[in-house]
């Protein structure tokens, strides 16, 4: 079992930056692929980015490519979502998720553990 807790959300102006964190506890963290998803008001939850257990491979949604990164620190059992050049359309609740396997995946159904989410609001 893995428990995930997100933090660091908030309000930021368009063009600004924000970093949200996802702290994991429970079973071994370093063997889990991790992902970030988001859900905007009135929309379905969507994939943002995923990273392999080693951190050697990442996969980004086209909408965030070049603006977001996903550093992970296995020693701290933490994965981050660094968001730069934020746009109002990035406003959403951001969720981190963990898989029991090492490969990074885009589909929600591939993830076994979820955090509670953190709100990110980008004002224009």
């Amino acid at each position: 079992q893995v428990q995930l807790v997100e933090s660091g959300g908030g309000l930021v102006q368009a063009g600004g930056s924000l970093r949200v964190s996802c702290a994991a506890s429970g079973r071994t963290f370093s063997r889990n692929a991790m992902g970030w998803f988001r859900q905007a008001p009135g929309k379905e939850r969507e994939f943002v980015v995923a990273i392999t257990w080693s951190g050697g491979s990442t996969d980004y949604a086209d909408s965030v490519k070049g603006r977001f990164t996903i550093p992970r620190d296995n020693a701290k059992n933490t994965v981050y979502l660094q968001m730069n050049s934020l746009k109002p359309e990035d406003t959403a609740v951001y969720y981190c998720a963990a898989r029991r396997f090492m490969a990074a995946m885009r589909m929600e159904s591939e993830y076994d553990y979820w955090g509670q989410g953190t709100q990110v609001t980008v004002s224009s």
Side-chain angles (χ1 to χ4, degrees):
Q1 191 76 8
V2 174
Q3 293 79 42
L4 304 173
V5 178
E6 299 99 334
S7 62
L11 175 65
V12 63
Q13 289 188 332
S17 298
L18 194 66
R19 188 178 79 165
V20 293
S21 302
C22 175
S25 61
R27 57 165 288 180
T28 302
F29 171 73
S30 63
R31 295 290 177 177
N32 302 95
M34 302 292 296
W36 284 96
F37 293 76
R38 66 186 181 185
Q39 187 168 22
K43 295 187 177 181
E44 294 186 352
R45 190 157 56 184
E46 65 176 4
F47 169 78
V48 177
V49 60
I51 188 168
T52 57
W53 73 273
S54 67
S57 179
T58 53
D59 182 21
Y60 292 89
D62 288 345
S63 59
V64 306
K65 198 173 295 184
R67 299 188 298 123
F68 290 11
T69 60
I70 184 172
R72 72 181 291 170
D73 186 339
N74 288 343
K76 295 182 178 180
N77 288 347
T78 301
V79 65
Y80 305 92
L81 182 64
Q82 177 66 45
M83 300 179 284
N84 301 320
S85 302
L86 281 160
K87 305 175 182 179
E89 51 264 44
D90 294 318
T91 295
V93 177
Y94 283 74
Y95 298 89
C96 72
R99 303 188 68 223
R100 288 177 290 167
F101 305 101
M102 297 183 288
M105 305 295 285
R106 290 191 168 212
M107 292 183 63
E108 289 187 46
S109 59
E110 295 286 348
Y111 290 81
D112 304 288
Y113 310 103
W114 291 83
Q116 82 288 351
T118 186
Q119 177 71 47
V120 172
T121 303
V122 184
S123 63
S124 57

